[in-house]
Amino acid sequence: MNERGALVAPLVSLDDADGELAALVGNKAATLAALRRSGFEVPPGVVVPTDASGGASDSLPAEVRTALRSVPDLLGPGPWAVR
């Protein structure tokens, strides 16, 4: 998180309105975000947006790897599900 409490780019929180944008986070994450924001028991989560993957490369861009290192601070010690 940055000093204002927002997620570090390029992660999108399921609690953010952008988390419901299927074009940004994919259909499954957008559905989870909508359910969570509607009050259903969906655990907190973050999503790497579809456009942050770095294209056809098999490796994640450095910015994404750095942001993923912040997940324990954002969500706690786990366990987490990863897709």
Side-chain angles (χ1 to χ4, degrees), residues 11-58:
L11 301 179
V12 176
S13 172
L14 294 180
D15 293 326
D16 293 341
D18 285 351
E20 294 184 35
L21 301 175
L24 178 66
V25 299
N27 290 329
K28 290 179 184 178
T31 300
L32 290 172
L35 290 169
R36 181 167 168 80
R37 288 171 43 92
S38 295
F40 286 86
E41 289 190 37
V42 175
V46 295
V47 180
V48 176
T50 56
D51 63 352
S53 66
S57 173
D58 287 339

Side-chain angles (χ1 to χ4, degrees), residues 57-81:
S57 173
D58 287 339
S59 64
L60 291 173
E63 179 183 32
V64 174
R65 289 192 312 271
T66 298
L68 289 173
R69 287 186 194 105
S70 70
V71 169
D73 295 330
L74 299 170
L75 301 180
W80 311 302

